[in-house]
Each structure stands twice: as structure tokens, then as C-alpha cells.
Amino acid sequence: MTPVESPRRAPFALAGVALLLLACSVQKIWSADIWWQLATGRWIVENGRLPSTDVFSFTAAGHEWIELRWVYCVLAYLGWELGGPGLLITLQVLALAATFVLLAWPWRAVVGTTAGALALGMGVAGAMSRFSVRPELTTYLLIAVFLKVFGARSCRRDGSGAGNRALWLLPLLQIIWVSAHTMFIFGPLLAWLAFACDAMSRIADRVGSASGNPPRPNAPLINLSLLLTAAATTAACLLNPYGLRGALFPFLLLREMGKDHILGRTITEFLSPLQSGLRWSEDMYVAALLAGMCLATFMLNRRRFNLFRFAFWAACLYLAVMAVRNQALLAIASTWATLGNLRDLHAALARQPIERRGSPGASVAGRLAVTLGLLAAAWYVASDRFFVRQSAPRRFGVGVVEWFTPRQAVEFLRTARPKGNLLHSMDDGAYFSWALRDLYPVCVDGRLEVYGGQTLAEYLNNHADWRGYVEKHSINTLVLERRFFEPIIPQVAASRGWKLVHLDPRDLIFVRDIPEHAELIARNRIEPSAPWTPRTVEPDERPTGWRRWLGSVELPWHDLELAQNFIWLDSLRNAAVLLTRCVERFPENEQAEQLLRCIRLSEEGVSPQGPAGPAARASPATRVWAAGVVGESLIRSGRPREAVVVLRDGVAADPSNVAFHRAVASLSTSLGDFAAAREHLEAVLALRPGDAEARRGLELLRGRQP
């Protein structure tokens, strides 16, 4: 491949990009935020005005609510009413397609080359983590519009942007942007960046002229059109229902993403990708690789260096390093800048002698490799292999990822009508604001800026004192999503004041044992130790129909998640029944396999499989996780001997796990097996020579006989 090859010679590569874009954007609705956004749009339409204070929750009732996404929320609600999730997903696909077409259009001379198609495909893959029905789509599309106007014309050294009529469209678009998404600040940023870079270019030309270089004829130092556009775009930010406070709102969000704010420390998408312990997904690696590719094109293109292009890319790189949620911005900026640099290299190389332009055979091989790679990536995403590998709740298709919504909990609450208030997870709260607005106010949902740092800190730390939290807020019903409330589920289940009345793969519902709930408890109470009898038809999670034809895969979400709920309720027998069925249907699922193995290990006291069994196939991390989950349940159930057997299996998987060594030593001491206790305490000291607790434990064991 060479940058001068005709784009007409790589149509299949562009087809691969298109298929990859479809695979990444035709996704069922999964994001929890869509539900409170639909609820907001419904409230605005029904009341004919914008909210000024919180109307959804009982924890932040009366708090100021600046909703700058109101245009998006209203349009999303009207779209839902008109065409349901299918219409919203269609609009999402069109918005993303328009975004990448606008990014590529100024550089269409190189988009069809191998390098151009590769950059465009990597941009799609690197940004896909944020492809969802959400207001960010507005920002991505309008960034592409601004870049189309500024990047291709306004910053040329020949001054050709001075009379660009499209500049005057940007302040009008900014008025829409400021009421559609909180990242509208990119409009003024791009406008002033374009003006500043153009001015610096003109100054450099003047200096070059004084040094004897050819001057740019009749070029003033300031491009008045760019200056007025930047000023008008900035002023347009004030044209929102909240005036100056709304215009300054992005800076509040920026502070919330900082390490000094609780959201910056606890919300995953606000964390830096460089933070220790944060797991990178494949799309993050693609975005980073594309950023490196972009930097390489800047270096190769240093004689034709474009300051505006580099400044915007560097700004997005900084934001992506600050927070994971900005990864898509970096992918978009890198795609646009890389294509622009390739175009400049293409123009320069076109002036080279033909013998220096590269081998045609290598060009054909490069195009074939890129095309096959893009097609494979499209299938990898469309078959849901990417999402299942990441354990993500995203699926290819049209509709809603039902198992990632608390739909069953909502149906129970609507039927049983327990007394409020409710304690629930943030994601469940977003859905409740949409589906239960006539019955219960929510505790917390995804409108993080409404609640403020103190309210959110109290909510996020309720695991430490859940009893105090529920008493303070007069909570009578607990809707506990296991993934969020794991630490307190055993405590609630053991409490006499709360009764389990609903259980599904996502949520456990406990109600306070009060006279108002007497009939509800008598009718719906669940005893975890009793054999499980499902109240609804249990699904078979295996793909069917066109998904099976496509080769799609799926997670055993029903059986595996419900089994884990039973483990946290210390009902290992019910969990074993579900896990047995799960392993039969999904024999390659390591989590189900290892949980079942640990339960059987606790029952038999020895490994049920030899070296070629599940223990050999599973990763050490999965074996340790399963041993920890089952071991904790056995300890809570008063079965220390069985717990020791399971935890030793975790030690065998990861001999450097200090926590497991400590747990086995403590349990062995209580069982009178002092030799085993010494063995594991000595292992702790070998891993941590200065560990005072392990030394103290060995001193206490000195002289005791096994």
C-alpha cells in the first residue's frame, strides 16, 4: 500500500468499515441512563416546562436540577412513543454513520487506501464503548460538523477559510448543542482553537516573509470571520433556559470527574485508564493503538504540520487519559487527524518518482489483509463474542436487553405494592423513575449532578451502615441488585426484621416485617434453604433463530446469576441445581464450572475432577474468585471444615494470595489443626516478611500440638 493509490481500488475495505459500523451501532438498548432520560422527557412533555428542582427522588427532593439535555430527553421520549426502541436504535445508527462520514469526507482522497480504511475502521472499533442511545451522540455528530467546517478550510495557510459561509451555521448549531448534551463546550473550544491556530499560522507567515521566505499575499494577521464565529459560538452557549449557570455547567461536571470528588473515585467511567488495577478491554487497546498511529503520522508529516489538527487531538488525548468515558473522543479525534495527515502525505508522495511509491503487490496484500480484518471484527462484534468476553450487557440487535433491567422486580412491586421508601441500586433507580413513577420516588438514579457529593457519598457508603441508612430515610422495602449490594445481602437475610419476598437473577426484594406487610409476607415469603420453585417460566439462554445461524454466543445470565444470588443467601444446594443445568448448557463457562466445582468440593472433601478436569481448564483468577465466593458462604453457614477445603483450592490456584492463607490459618486454628495454621502463616511471612499479624499468630501457636 502507498498513500497515492486510488480509493476506487479498495471498495471491499470500505464495505468492511460499513459492516463494522453496523455491528457496533445496531445494539439493543442496555444503558440504564436511557430510562431516566425518557422519564425526564415524559415529565417535560406532560408539564409543558423544564424542571428546576428534583421531582423523581426522596433523597434529593427540592435540590436544584439543571437539565441541559432537555432537547435530547424530549426527542428520545417522543421517538420512544412513536416507534419504541427500534426507532431510537435506527436514529442511533444514522447519527453514528453521519458522524464518521463527516469525519472522513474532507479526506476522501485517502479513505479508500489501505491505511485510510484501517484508520477509519479502528476509529469505529475504538469508539464503540460509547455507542448507545445517549445524548453523547449529539456531541459526536456536532464535533464532526465543526471539524468538517474548520479542519478542511479554516486553518489553511492560504486563507481560504475567510469567506466560508458555513461558519455562520455553527452558532445556530451551538444553540441546539447546549440544550442536548453537557459536552457542548467542545463547540466554543473548537472555534477558538481554529481562530488561534489560524492566527499563529499567519504570524508565522509574516515572520517567514521577513526572513526572506515567500509571503502570503494580502493576508491580515486576524481572520475576522473566524473571530466572529468563535465569539458568536461562545455567546450561543448562554441561550439556554438556565443562562450563565447552564453555560458554566460543564465545569461542574469536570470537577466531579476529579480525584478529589467521590464520583471521580468510585464511578468506573470517571476513572483514568492508567489507574492501577483497571482492566483494559479490546476496544481500549484499539483506541490506544490508533492514537499511536496518529502520532506517527504527525511525525511523518512534520514538514506539513497542521497545528489545529494536532491541538484538537492532544486535547482529546488529555481527556482520555483523565477518564475512561472520553475514550470515544480520542478515537474520533485520532481518526480525523490520521486521515488528514495521510491526505497530506498522499499529496507529497504524489510528487515523488513512480519508482519510490511502493510495490503494487504489497498494496494488494495490504488491502486484502485490512478487508479480512474488518470483516472478522464485524462478525466478532455482531455475534456478541466481544461483549460476552467482556461480560458486558450489550447485545447485537433491536430491542432492549431485558435481563439487564429490573423488569421482574417492577412487576412484583406493581402487584404486591409494598410500603415505600425503596432502597435500590443506581441503575435500578433509573428504570424505576420510568416504570414506577406513579408508585414510588427513587432513592438515587443516574442524574449524579442533582444529588451532590454529600448525598452520593452517603448512598455509596451505605454498605458500612445500611441499617442506619434505611432508618434515616424511612425505607421499608429493599430492592437489592446483587452486583451492587453483595456485602449486605447476607446481613439482611440474617436479620429478623426483614423478609425475602422476591428473587430473580438480578434482584432480591426484602420487606420490613411490619403489620402493613403481614399479608404480603404470608403470600410471597421465600425460604432460601427450601428447594427452589420458580414463579415464572425459566428461559433457555442459548441463542436461537438468526442468532444461532450467525454463530452468536450468550452468557448463562439466568441460571448463573440466580445461582450466585442463592450463594449469597447461603443456599448452596439450590445454587448447585442451577449451576448443574448451566454447565450442561454452557460447558465452556468457567464461572459456572468453578462455582459448581467448589460446591461439590465442599460436599465431598476432595476434588471431584482430576488434573484434566475443570481446575486445569479454568484461569487462576476464576478459581480464586469461585473459591472465595463459596468459601465465604460456608463460613457464614458455620461450616469451617468445608470452607478450609474450598479455600485451600483457592490457595492452590494462587499461592501468593495472602488473604486466603490468612483465612485458612484462622479456620485451621479454630478447628485445632495447628500444623496447617502454622503452614499458612509461614506462607504469609514468606510473601510479606514484615507482617506483624502473621508473626503474632505464630507466637500464639508455639508449643501447641497439632
Side-chain angles (χ1 to χ4, degrees), residues 596-628:
L596 181 60
R597 179 177 178 276
C598 287
I599 292 174
R600 289 176 175 171
L601 192 61
S602 69
E603 295 171 347
E604 301 175 14
V606 294
S607 174
Q609 298 286 347
R617 294 198 302 266
S619 67
T622 302
R623 289 184 61 188
V624 169
W625 166 79

mmCIF file of all heavy atoms in Angstrom, residues 596-628:
data_model
loop_
_atom_site.group_PDB
_atom_site.id
_atom_site.type_symbol
_atom_site.label_atom_id
_atom_site.label_comp_id
_atom_site.label_asym_id
_atom_site.label_seq_id
_atom_site.Cartn_x
_atom_site.Cartn_y
_atom_site.Cartn_z
ATOM 1 N N LEU A 596 -19.650 -24.536 40.687
ATOM 2 C CA LEU A 596 -20.177 -25.879 40.921
ATOM 3 C C LEU A 596 -19.083 -26.791 41.474
ATOM 4 O O LEU A 596 -19.330 -27.596 42.394
ATOM 5 C CB LEU A 596 -20.743 -26.444 39.616
ATOM 6 C CG LEU A 596 -21.346 -27.848 39.706
ATOM 7 C CD1 LEU A 596 -22.501 -27.881 40.704
ATOM 8 C CD2 LEU A 596 -21.818 -28.316 38.327
ATOM 9 N N ARG A 597 -17.890 -26.668 40.945
ATOM 10 C CA ARG A 597 -16.779 -27.488 41.426
ATOM 11 C C ARG A 597 -16.510 -27.231 42.907
ATOM 12 O O ARG A 597 -16.289 -28.176 43.681
ATOM 13 C CB ARG A 597 -15.535 -27.190 40.602
ATOM 14 C CG ARG A 597 -14.303 -27.974 41.021
ATOM 15 C CD ARG A 597 -13.122 -27.669 40.108
ATOM 16 N NE ARG A 597 -11.955 -28.401 40.555
ATOM 17 C CZ ARG A 597 -11.129 -27.987 41.509
ATOM 18 N NH1 ARG A 597 -11.353 -26.833 42.100
ATOM 19 N NH2 ARG A 597 -10.089 -28.710 41.873
ATOM 20 N N CYS A 598 -16.537 -25.960 43.318
ATOM 21 C CA CYS A 598 -16.266 -25.633 44.722
ATOM 22 C C CYS A 598 -17.375 -26.146 45.642
ATOM 23 O O CYS A 598 -17.105 -26.589 46.766
ATOM 24 C CB CYS A 598 -16.101 -24.125 44.881
ATOM 25 S SG CYS A 598 -14.557 -23.488 44.207
ATOM 26 N N ILE A 599 -18.620 -26.083 45.177
ATOM 27 C CA ILE A 599 -19.720 -26.609 45.988
ATOM 28 C C ILE A 599 -19.561 -28.113 46.167
ATOM 29 O O ILE A 599 -19.716 -28.650 47.272
ATOM 30 C CB ILE A 599 -21.070 -26.260 45.344
ATOM 31 C CG1 ILE A 599 -21.309 -24.745 45.406
ATOM 32 C CG2 ILE A 599 -22.212 -26.989 46.056
ATOM 33 C CD1 ILE A 599 -22.549 -24.285 44.681
ATOM 34 N N ARG A 600 -19.237 -28.819 45.099
ATOM 35 C CA ARG A 600 -19.031 -30.268 45.192
ATOM 36 C C ARG A 600 -17.805 -30.594 46.040
ATOM 37 O O ARG A 600 -17.778 -31.589 46.769
ATOM 38 C CB ARG A 600 -18.889 -30.850 43.792
ATOM 39 C CG ARG A 600 -20.203 -30.839 43.008
ATOM 40 C CD ARG A 600 -20.011 -31.328 41.596
ATOM 41 N NE ARG A 600 -21.286 -31.423 40.883
ATOM 42 C CZ ARG A 600 -21.389 -31.663 39.583
ATOM 43 N NH1 ARG A 600 -20.288 -31.843 38.854
ATOM 44 N NH2 ARG A 600 -22.583 -31.736 39.015
ATOM 45 N N LEU A 601 -16.802 -29.738 45.945
ATOM 46 C CA LEU A 601 -15.594 -29.928 46.752
ATOM 47 C C LEU A 601 -15.933 -29.842 48.237
ATOM 48 O O LEU A 601 -15.432 -30.622 49.052
ATOM 49 C CB LEU A 601 -14.565 -28.866 46.377
ATOM 50 C CG LEU A 601 -13.131 -29.030 46.873
ATOM 51 C CD1 LEU A 601 -12.521 -30.306 46.353
ATOM 52 C CD2 LEU A 601 -12.306 -27.825 46.438
ATOM 53 N N SER A 602 -16.824 -28.920 48.596
ATOM 54 C CA SER A 602 -17.214 -28.770 49.998
ATOM 55 C C SER A 602 -18.030 -29.961 50.477
ATOM 56 O O SER A 602 -17.999 -30.317 51.662
ATOM 57 C CB SER A 602 -18.023 -27.489 50.179
ATOM 58 O OG SER A 602 -19.294 -27.585 49.561
ATOM 59 N N GLU A 603 -18.755 -30.601 49.572
ATOM 60 C CA GLU A 603 -19.591 -31.746 49.942
ATOM 61 C C GLU A 603 -18.782 -33.031 50.046
ATOM 62 O O GLU A 603 -19.025 -33.862 50.922
ATOM 63 C CB GLU A 603 -20.709 -31.926 48.914
ATOM 64 C CG GLU A 603 -21.692 -30.760 48.880
ATOM 65 C CD GLU A 603 -22.657 -30.856 47.712
ATOM 66 O OE1 GLU A 603 -22.402 -31.681 46.809
ATOM 67 O OE2 GLU A 603 -23.649 -30.105 47.703
ATOM 68 N N GLU A 604 -17.788 -33.178 49.156
ATOM 69 C CA GLU A 604 -17.040 -34.436 49.097
ATOM 70 C C GLU A 604 -15.728 -34.382 49.848
ATOM 71 O O GLU A 604 -15.156 -35.420 50.190
ATOM 72 C CB GLU A 604 -16.786 -34.804 47.634
ATOM 73 C CG GLU A 604 -18.075 -34.967 46.829
ATOM 74 C CD GLU A 604 -17.803 -35.205 45.357
ATOM 75 O OE1 GLU A 604 -16.638 -35.512 45.020
ATOM 76 O OE2 GLU A 604 -18.739 -35.079 44.553
ATOM 77 N N GLY A 605 -15.220 -33.162 50.062
ATOM 78 C CA GLY A 605 -13.967 -33.016 50.787
ATOM 79 C C GLY A 605 -12.732 -33.233 49.951
ATOM 80 O O GLY A 605 -11.616 -33.025 50.408
ATOM 81 N N VAL A 606 -12.897 -33.693 48.717
ATOM 82 C CA VAL A 606 -11.769 -33.895 47.801
ATOM 83 C C VAL A 606 -12.196 -33.383 46.439
ATOM 84 O O VAL A 606 -13.377 -33.241 46.141
ATOM 85 C CB VAL A 606 -11.363 -35.379 47.682
ATOM 86 C CG1 VAL A 606 -10.813 -35.890 48.997
ATOM 87 C CG2 VAL A 606 -12.557 -36.218 47.252
ATOM 88 N N SER A 607 -11.225 -33.125 45.582
ATOM 89 C CA SER A 607 -11.536 -32.618 44.251
ATOM 90 C C SER A 607 -12.319 -33.646 43.453
ATOM 91 O O SER A 607 -11.919 -34.806 43.362
ATOM 92 C CB SER A 607 -10.244 -32.269 43.496
ATOM 93 O OG SER A 607 -10.552 -31.909 42.171
ATOM 94 N N PRO A 608 -13.475 -33.262 42.864
ATOM 95 C CA PRO A 608 -14.263 -34.192 42.072
ATOM 96 C C PRO A 608 -13.697 -34.428 40.688
ATOM 97 O O PRO A 608 -14.236 -35.230 39.945
ATOM 98 C CB PRO A 608 -15.625 -33.489 41.977
ATOM 99 C CG PRO A 608 -15.276 -32.027 42.045
ATOM 100 C CD PRO A 608 -14.096 -31.943 42.959
ATOM 101 N N GLN A 609 -12.627 -33.714 40.320
ATOM 102 C CA GLN A 609 -12.052 -33.862 38.985
ATOM 103 C C GLN A 609 -10.545 -34.056 39.112
ATOM 104 O O GLN A 609 -9.915 -33.539 40.029
ATOM 105 C CB GLN A 609 -12.326 -32.613 38.131
ATOM 106 C CG GLN A 609 -13.814 -32.351 37.895
ATOM 107 C CD GLN A 609 -14.412 -33.327 36.903
ATOM 108 O OE1 GLN A 609 -13.681 -34.039 36.221
ATOM 109 N NE2 GLN A 609 -15.729 -33.370 36.819
ATOM 110 N N GLY A 610 -9.972 -34.766 38.159
ATOM 111 C CA GLY A 610 -8.535 -34.936 38.120
ATOM 112 C C GLY A 610 -7.860 -33.761 37.462
ATOM 113 O O GLY A 610 -8.471 -32.742 37.182
ATOM 114 N N PRO A 611 -6.571 -33.886 37.149
ATOM 115 C CA PRO A 611 -5.825 -32.786 36.544
ATOM 116 C C PRO A 611 -6.394 -32.311 35.223
ATOM 117 O O PRO A 611 -6.192 -31.176 34.840
ATOM 118 C CB PRO A 611 -4.417 -33.393 36.372
ATOM 119 C CG PRO A 611 -4.354 -34.508 37.356
ATOM 120 C CD PRO A 611 -5.729 -35.060 37.438
ATOM 121 N N ALA A 612 -7.112 -33.180 34.509
ATOM 122 C CA ALA A 612 -7.654 -32.774 33.214
ATOM 123 C C ALA A 612 -9.044 -32.163 33.335
ATOM 124 O O ALA A 612 -9.667 -31.853 32.346
ATOM 125 C CB ALA A 612 -7.702 -33.976 32.268
ATOM 126 N N GLY A 613 -9.555 -32.025 34.571
ATOM 127 C CA GLY A 613 -10.904 -31.518 34.765
ATOM 128 C C GLY A 613 -10.975 -30.011 34.744
ATOM 129 O O GLY A 613 -10.079 -29.321 34.262
ATOM 130 N N PRO A 614 -12.061 -29.460 35.313
ATOM 131 C CA PRO A 614 -12.280 -28.017 35.285
ATOM 132 C C PRO A 614 -11.152 -27.210 35.906
ATOM 133 O O PRO A 614 -10.853 -26.108 35.461
ATOM 134 C CB PRO A 614 -13.581 -27.855 36.078
ATOM 135 C CG PRO A 614 -14.271 -29.179 35.958
ATOM 136 C CD PRO A 614 -13.177 -30.175 35.911
ATOM 137 N N ALA A 615 -10.512 -27.737 36.956
ATOM 138 C CA ALA A 615 -9.446 -26.977 37.607
ATOM 139 C C ALA A 615 -8.303 -26.693 36.656
ATOM 140 O O ALA A 615 -7.652 -25.659 36.730
ATOM 141 C CB ALA A 615 -8.938 -27.739 38.833
ATOM 142 N N ALA A 616 -8.044 -27.636 35.736
ATOM 143 C CA ALA A 616 -6.947 -27.451 34.789
ATOM 144 C C ALA A 616 -7.316 -26.450 33.703
ATOM 145 O O ALA A 616 -6.456 -25.749 33.191
ATOM 146 C CB ALA A 616 -6.580 -28.794 34.167
ATOM 147 N N ARG A 617 -8.606 -26.381 33.345
ATOM 148 C CA ARG A 617 -9.021 -25.508 32.253
ATOM 149 C C ARG A 617 -9.211 -24.060 32.697
ATOM 150 O O ARG A 617 -8.993 -23.135 31.928
ATOM 151 C CB ARG A 617 -10.326 -26.022 31.648
ATOM 152 C CG ARG A 617 -10.202 -27.367 30.944
ATOM 153 C CD ARG A 617 -11.386 -27.584 30.022
ATOM 154 N NE ARG A 617 -12.646 -27.538 30.744
ATOM 155 C CZ ARG A 617 -13.271 -28.619 31.219
ATOM 156 N NH1 ARG A 617 -12.713 -29.808 31.069
ATOM 157 N NH2 ARG A 617 -14.430 -28.525 31.828
ATOM 158 N N ALA A 618 -9.669 -23.858 33.923
ATOM 159 C CA ALA A 618 -10.029 -22.519 34.372
ATOM 160 C C ALA A 618 -8.788 -21.684 34.662
ATOM 161 O O ALA A 618 -7.728 -22.202 35.028
ATOM 162 C CB ALA A 618 -10.900 -22.604 35.623
ATOM 163 N N SER A 619 -8.941 -20.382 34.514
ATOM 164 C CA SER A 619 -7.849 -19.469 34.842
ATOM 165 C C SER A 619 -7.700 -19.376 36.351
ATOM 166 O O SER A 619 -8.675 -19.569 37.098
ATOM 167 C CB SER A 619 -8.143 -18.083 34.273
ATOM 168 O OG SER A 619 -9.257 -17.501 34.934
ATOM 169 N N PRO A 620 -6.495 -19.091 36.849
ATOM 170 C CA PRO A 620 -6.313 -18.951 38.298
ATOM 171 C C PRO A 620 -7.240 -17.900 38.910
ATOM 172 O O PRO A 620 -7.750 -18.093 40.015
ATOM 173 C CB PRO A 620 -4.837 -18.546 38.416
ATOM 174 C CG PRO A 620 -4.192 -19.109 37.196
ATOM 175 C CD PRO A 620 -5.214 -19.003 36.119
ATOM 176 N N ALA A 621 -7.474 -16.791 38.188
ATOM 177 C CA ALA A 621 -8.342 -15.740 38.725
ATOM 178 C C ALA A 621 -9.760 -16.253 38.944
ATOM 179 O O ALA A 621 -10.400 -15.941 39.964
ATOM 180 C CB ALA A 621 -8.352 -14.546 37.774
ATOM 181 N N THR A 622 -10.279 -17.049 38.003
ATOM 182 C CA THR A 622 -11.629 -17.592 38.150
ATOM 183 C C THR A 622 -11.692 -18.590 39.294
ATOM 184 O O THR A 622 -12.660 -18.617 40.075
ATOM 185 C CB THR A 622 -12.078 -18.264 36.843
ATOM 186 O OG1 THR A 622 -12.034 -17.308 35.785
ATOM 187 C CG2 THR A 622 -13.491 -18.801 36.971
ATOM 188 N N ARG A 623 -10.661 -19.429 39.433
ATOM 189 C CA ARG A 623 -10.633 -20.407 40.524
ATOM 190 C C ARG A 623 -10.605 -19.701 41.881
ATOM 191 O O ARG A 623 -11.317 -20.096 42.813
ATOM 192 C CB ARG A 623 -9.414 -21.318 40.384
ATOM 193 C CG ARG A 623 -9.504 -22.311 39.229
ATOM 194 C CD ARG A 623 -8.287 -23.232 39.228
ATOM 195 N NE ARG A 623 -8.201 -24.014 40.459
ATOM 196 C CZ ARG A 623 -7.164 -24.775 40.784
ATOM 197 N NH1 ARG A 623 -6.107 -24.833 39.974
ATOM 198 N NH2 ARG A 623 -7.157 -25.469 41.905
ATOM 199 N N VAL A 624 -9.818 -18.642 41.983
ATOM 200 C CA VAL A 624 -9.738 -17.902 43.252
ATOM 201 C C VAL A 624 -11.064 -17.232 43.557
ATOM 202 O O VAL A 624 -11.555 -17.258 44.693
ATOM 203 C CB VAL A 624 -8.592 -16.877 43.186
ATOM 204 C CG1 VAL A 624 -8.656 -15.926 44.375
ATOM 205 C CG2 VAL A 624 -7.246 -17.581 43.149
ATOM 206 N N TRP A 625 -11.660 -16.613 42.535
ATOM 207 C CA TRP A 625 -12.957 -15.944 42.742
ATOM 208 C C TRP A 625 -14.007 -16.939 43.219
ATOM 209 O O TRP A 625 -14.727 -16.678 44.195
ATOM 210 C CB TRP A 625 -13.403 -15.291 41.430
ATOM 211 C CG TRP A 625 -14.836 -14.872 41.429
ATOM 212 C CD1 TRP A 625 -15.364 -13.760 42.008
ATOM 213 C CD2 TRP A 625 -15.933 -15.589 40.845
ATOM 214 N NE1 TRP A 625 -16.731 -13.726 41.816
ATOM 215 C CE2 TRP A 625 -17.099 -14.835 41.113
ATOM 216 C CE3 TRP A 625 -16.041 -16.783 40.131
ATOM 217 C CZ2 TRP A 625 -18.360 -15.246 40.676
ATOM 218 C CZ3 TRP A 625 -17.291 -17.199 39.694
ATOM 219 C CH2 TRP A 625 -18.435 -16.441 39.967
ATOM 220 N N ALA A 626 -14.125 -18.087 42.556
ATOM 221 C CA ALA A 626 -15.138 -19.071 42.927
ATOM 222 C C ALA A 626 -14.885 -19.607 44.333
ATOM 223 O O ALA A 626 -15.819 -19.765 45.135
ATOM 224 C CB ALA A 626 -15.153 -20.213 41.909
ATOM 225 N N ALA A 627 -13.641 -19.887 44.661
ATOM 226 C CA ALA A 627 -13.314 -20.387 45.998
ATOM 227 C C ALA A 627 -13.662 -19.358 47.063
ATOM 228 O O ALA A 627 -14.158 -19.707 48.146
ATOM 229 C CB ALA A 627 -11.832 -20.754 46.068
ATOM 230 N N GLY A 628 -13.429 -18.081 46.750
ATOM 231 C CA GLY A 628 -13.751 -17.034 47.711
ATOM 232 C C GLY A 628 -15.243 -16.905 47.949
ATOM 233 O O GLY A 628 -15.704 -16.791 49.096
#
